[in-house]
Amino acid sequence: MTEDTESTAPLEEAPFRRLHPLSIILKSVTMLGRNLIAIAVLHFSLFDQNVAHTLLAASALISLVVGVTALIWSRFTYQVTAREIRIKSGLLNRNNRSIPFDRIQDVSLEQKLLSRLLGLATVALETGSGGGEDGQLDALARTDAERLRDTIRDYKAGLQEDPALVDAERTIEGSPPLFAMDNRRIFIAGLFNFSFVLLAVLGALAQNFDFLLPDGFFDPRTWIDALPEQETIDTFGSGIRFLGALAAILSLITVGFVSGIVRTFVREYNFRLDQVDTGQPGFRRRRGLFTLTDMVMPIHRVQAAILQTGPVRERFGWYHLKFTSLAGDASGETDHSAAPCARLSEIDPILDECTIDQTSPDLAFQSVDPAFWWRGAILIWLLLTAVAVGNGLFVHIGLYAIILLAIPVSWIQFLNWRHHQYALTDSQLYVRSGWWRRKLTILPLPKVQTVDISQTPFDHPLDLATVTIGIAGGSSMTPLTIAAIPFHNALNLRNALFAQQNQT
């Protein structure tokens, strides 16, 4: 760290400091990485593969990026006082920002691969005002980042001891992790995270480097011409054709499984969840292969628990526990993974720390109205019938078979209805949804913020309604809803939620 000559009034004795000088390298490499494709395009197009011109352009770009980055680094300073953090930034338009410790809700650390190699960490400050982190120090030495995090937590916890003498994480001494995953467990989790992200990455690379590919690579006619003649295909037996089609399908499935496993390893590598005590009990989660994230989630900020599974995953006894929380991390995630691949026996101790109860065998769930599935099924049949008739009349008679897709889609809609249920106890609301992606949300009643009852034009004739429960934090894209319940039941549920909330 280097001290800046800028200083505040004598009342504030703490000096202004700059970020670690290695942050210049970190930022420069990041910015240069974003321009590699541009340099490659210039090399093969404008410079006509002239190495000298390309090297000259690359040298000019490196000099510009490093110079601007160093100038920005020199103009960015921060000060940690007894009660707040002050940040000065900006080249032409100077910005002076003060973040009082009292307003800071969470402090998280993040280390990307290059940052880990350089021994740096990013400190993200979240005040709960929305929009992700509200203050960020991009490159501090790991020890300085941990010291800053502990200073803020000690202040909020009212601790008086010297933060430098306090264990950086305050993990409960001698206690094993609440949950951890070895490589075998991560591999199992990856099997259930089927994904075609690898194909998407390869497609994006092919689009950006299309000048290196053969002419007509993206033209379907090129591939049709490259296929064997129809007479050659006709010489193959039906068994060979079937095996060829099966091999193509299995190849796609293999790519999906490999993508899911790789993606899971990158995100969940060395996953560990600990119980911590920073004056207020909480969870500390560490994970990541290339980007190491280290965040602490206070228990009092947990709003709801989410158990996710699927028909195959549930049969083998695996579940994914998440917490909807007011806490945020550097990635902006608010539905935090607490146990990505765990047994119910491993999940129960985690829920106990939050005083959240799992479902009991005698808990009676209520199903929603069957209109939940048959209205959707009718709409699906009408749409697919119109598509099948249109294509059958004007394209090919065989496309009338499109209507057959309505059978499995309607069956899935029926299964979704069977798994859409809710239950209310004296202290919690339980909501189940989805058949393939099964989700159980456990919401403590004191965490209920709002209850909305809505009716669509299709609900009025059947006297049905949808109940939407507002929860602070979490993903606004997937609100907690109970669909297709009788209107009078919706009113009773709303009254019961607020009545029992007042009692709790």
Side-chain angles (χ1 to χ4, degrees), residues 202-203 205-207 209-223:
L202 294 177
L205 291 175
Q207 288 286 351
F209 292 96
D210 56 348
F211 52 85
L212 298 176
L213 299 175
D215 294 337
F217 184 84
F218 294 104
D219 188 350
R221 290 171 296 183
T222 302
W223 295 101

Side-chain angles (χ1 to χ4, degrees), residues 147-292:
R147 187 179 299 113
L148 175 58
R149 177 184 63 184
D150 296 334
T151 298
I152 298 172
R153 291 179 182 167
D154 289 345
Y155 173 86
K156 297 182 68 65
L159 302 178
Q160 301 300 321
E161 59 263 41
D162 183 0
L165 302 178
V166 180
D167 175 38
E169 283 75 44
R170 289 188 174 277
T171 303
I172 294 181
E173 191 66 29
S175 63
L178 282 175
F179 180 76
M181 294 204 303
D182 56 16
N183 290 340
R184 175 181 174 275
R185 184 70 66 92
I186 296 175
F187 177 80
I188 294 174
L191 291 176
F192 296 115
N193 289 328
F194 188 87
S195 170
F196 283 121
V197 66
L198 182 59
L199 287 179
V201 171
L202 294 177
L205 291 175
Q207 288 286 351
N208 284 286
F209 292 96
D210 56 348
F211 52 85
L212 298 176
L213 299 175
D215 294 337
F217 184 84
F218 294 104
D219 188 350
R221 290 171 296 183
T222 302
W223 295 101
I224 293 175
D225 294 340
L227 291 175
E229 297 294 335
Q230 183 65 41
E231 292 80 4
T232 303
I233 297 178
D234 291 339
T235 61
F236 297 150
S238 58
I240 298 297
R241 298 183 193 178
F242 174 78
L243 289 177
L246 182 61
I249 295 174
L250 290 177
S251 298
L252 285 176
I253 294 176
T254 301
V255 170
F257 277 116
V258 171
S259 298
I261 293 170
V262 171
R263 185 181 180 187
T264 304
F265 262 96
V266 170
R267 183 179 62 245
E268 309 294 357
Y269 180 77
N270 205 24
F271 186 100
R272 180 185 174 101
L273 184 74
D274 289 292
Q275 183 182 1
V276 297
D277 184 5
T278 57
Q280 293 176 333
F283 301 117
R284 180 192 180 195
R285 187 194 68 192
R286 286 166 286 182
R287 65 175 181 177
L289 180 60
F290 301 122
T291 299
L292 174 63

Side-chain angles (χ1 to χ4, degrees), residues 105-108 153 273-276 278 280-285 294-304 322-328 333-338 350 354:
Q105 301 294 333
D106 290 291
V107 185
S108 61
R153 291 179 182 167
L273 184 74
D274 289 292
Q275 183 182 1
V276 297
T278 57
Q280 293 176 333
F283 301 117
R284 180 192 180 195
R285 187 194 68 192
D294 185 344
M295 67 160 292
V296 172
M297 178 172 51
I299 289 177
H300 75 276
R301 306 202 76 198
V302 172
Q303 303 297 300
K322 290 184 175 182
F323 285 127
T324 297
S325 173
L326 294 172
E333 179 189 36
T334 50
D335 287 341
H336 300 291
S337 292
I350 304 175
C354 306

Side-chain angles (χ1 to χ4, degrees), residues 384-503:
L384 288 180
T385 298
V387 172
V389 171
N391 283 275
L393 289 175
F394 300 104
V395 181
H396 189 276
I397 191 172
L399 294 178
Y400 279 113
I402 291 177
I403 190 63
L404 298 177
L405 293 175
I407 298 175
V409 174
S410 300
W411 179 249
I412 292 174
Q413 187 75 2
F414 174 79
L415 294 175
N416 286 335
W417 166 68
R418 292 286 301 272
H419 286 82
H420 189 35
Q421 303 172 325
Y422 67 97
L424 182 65
T425 66
D426 293 337
S427 59
Q428 297 180 159
L429 173 68
Y430 301 82
V431 179
R432 287 174 173 165
S433 61
W435 167 73
W436 183 251
R437 295 186 176 181
R438 301 180 183 182
K439 178 179 177 182
L440 170 64
T441 302
I442 308 175
L443 175 62
L445 297 185
K447 305 297 184 179
V448 174
Q449 298 291 318
T450 59
V451 180
D452 296 331
I453 299 176
S454 59
Q455 287 184 296
T456 67
F458 299 102
D459 290 328
H460 284 289
L462 302 174
D463 197 29
L464 299 178
T466 296
V467 178
T468 304
I469 296 117
I471 309 172
S475 173
S476 60
M477 301 300 293
T478 54
L480 183 60
T481 60
I482 305 173
I485 65 174
F487 185 75
H488 66 277
N489 287 356
L491 294 176
N492 292 336
L493 177 61
R494 181 181 63 183
N495 296 335
L497 285 172
F498 285 124
Q500 297 184 33
Q501 184 184 46
N502 294 331
Q503 293 177 6

